[in-house]
Amino acid sequence: MNALAEKVSKMLVSKEAHPQMTEIEVKGCVIGGKQLVIIAGPCAIETEELLKETAFKVRGAGAGMLRGGAFKPRTSPYSFQGLGVVGLETLAKIGESMNMPVITEIMDSEDIPIVAEHADILQVGARNMHNFSLLKKLGRIDKPVMLKRGMSATIEEWLLAAEYILAGGNGQVILCERGIRSAERWTRNTLDLSAAALAKELTHLPVIVDPSHGTGVRSLVAPMAKAAIAAGTDGLIIEVHPHPEKALSDGEQSLTPKQFSLLMRELEPVANAMGRRVR
Ligand code: PEP
Ligand code: MN
């Protein structure tokens, strides 16, 4: 056993601590099972109409869960910051009417009650992976948490961040690889699929891959989504916007509903080759 595997073997995230692979169920949607979970939706909730149109189309294409940010972690304070509570209400309403579970980002621990009231899964963004006081508080809630890998975090730091939530008593943790900073500039991040494969090897937690933030480039989302499934991921989170050129955030990496629908069809044989299903 190498040094990392040895270290991990003493942690709650390890297969040694929990030999059975964790499956997380939200409203009939199982994460970590034979069926891959495909989460799709806009980067940010912009209007009810746009979210409704997106949800309707991604659901029709086979997505199992709806994403949308209400509290957005933007690099510039002058960029669109998200609709906040109104966005959460819109997300919950559309999710319910479309019969889709919903996921959204939690940025501030003050907002845990309101986000947990409206979302089925709370997303910890890359920028907050090291926010240990937030992680400790999420360890005390009874809702699944999807923990994105920090953009400069090692795999060990990522697993230790998950450990914070598990150690608090919340075992419903999903790991999400979303790309890391590298020397490369032609892509937004470098999607580290080896991290996703290693997380599957070392831990009992479900692993989701985000090829949208992982590349930042629309044309690279499909190839990386297929590669992620081949690497053994339990699902994907993909940004979709009806009019990417007008999106208030991350338009350049968002697929149109049509592109998403085509991708879903292409994913099927890849999933089948891995003994998995897309729908
Ligand atoms: C997002 O999912 O829109 C997001 C901000 O992701 P990340 O935290 O990975 O940058
Ligand atoms: Mn985004």
Side-chain angles (χ1 to χ4, degrees):
M1 203 186 270
N2 67 33
L4 172 62
E6 165 117 38
K7 223 179 240 184
V8 175
S9 72
K10 300 188 178 76
M11 291 164 55
L12 296 171
V13 298
S14 72
K15 285 185 173 144
E16 282 78 3
H18 195 287
Q20 209 173 345
M21 295 302 272
T22 292
E23 288 188 7
I24 295 171
E25 207 214 301
V26 279
K27 295 185 175 154
C29 183
V30 179
I31 306 153
K34 201 174 159 69
Q35 183 171 347
L36 299 172
V37 60
I38 311 293
I39 307 167
C43 177
I45 299 146
E46 299 176 4
T47 67
E48 185 173 327
E49 292 66 37
L50 275 174
L51 188 67
K52 196 172 178 179
E53 179 185 351
T54 314
F56 182 76
K57 289 181 174 166
V58 298
R59 189 187 64 172
M65 202 177 295
L66 182 64
R67 66 150 289 151
F71 297 103
K72 294 303 301 175
R74 304 307 301 280
T75 301
S76 165
Y78 307 118
S79 300
F80 176 58
Q81 302 287 306
L83 298 180
V85 176
V86 172
L88 293 178
E89 288 166 357
T90 305
L91 181 66
K93 180 179 169 189
I94 302 297
E96 208 157 298
S97 72
M98 297 281 165
N99 200 19
M100 291 174 95
V102 297
I103 179 168
T104 197
E105 181 163 351
I106 174 81
M107 288 219 296
D108 189 322
S109 54
E110 263 188 19
D111 300 325
I112 291 176
I114 187 95
V115 176
E117 185 189 325
H118 292 87
D120 299 294
I121 302 181
L122 280 68
Q123 170 177 328
V124 176
R127 291 156 191 81
N128 264 317
M129 191 211 82
H130 295 284
N131 184 343
F132 301 119
S133 78
L134 176 64
L135 299 177
K136 281 184 190 170
K137 288 178 183 127
L138 292 170
R140 290 187 227 119
I141 66 167
D142 186 23
K143 277 254 159 146
V145 174
M146 186 176 84
L147 177 67
K148 286 193 150 194
R149 181 183 180 189
M151 58 185 82
S152 299
T154 63
I155 297 169
E156 186 179 359
E157 288 165 341
W158 183 35
L159 299 187
L160 283 166
E163 191 78 5
Y164 264 95
I165 306 172
L166 265 67
N170 185 355
Q172 299 187 88
V173 176
I174 302 150
L175 295 167
C176 177
E177 160 60 35
R178 49 77 73 202
I180 49 174
R181 283 248 166 109
S182 76
E184 186 48 58
R185 286 292 161 261
W186 286 7
T187 49
R188 181 178 180 183
N189 290 292
T190 295
L191 186 64
D192 183 5
L193 291 180
S194 64
L198 191 56
K200 284 299 294 178
E201 191 178 307
L202 297 175
T203 82
H204 57 87
L205 301 174
V207 177
I208 299 273
V209 167
D210 177 345
S212 305
H213 295 87
T215 63
V217 181
R218 184 175 308 122
S219 65
L220 298 179
V221 171
M224 290 299 96
K226 293 173 204 166
I229 294 176
T233 184
D234 295 300
L236 300 164
I237 179 162
I238 297 176
E239 288 185 340
V240 178
H241 194 287
H243 312 284
E245 69 292 349
K246 291 194 213 144
L248 298 180
S249 59
D250 289 352
E252 49 309 316
Q253 68 194 33
S254 299
L255 300 185
T256 61
K258 210 171 162 181
Q259 288 167 329
F260 177 74
S261 169
L262 179 66
L263 172 61
M264 287 296 282
R265 288 200 292 274
E266 291 176 355
L267 292 181
E268 192 81 59
V270 185
N272 294 343
M274 293 300 294
R276 314 287 291 262
R277 289 193 319 270
V278 173
R279 8 162 142 218

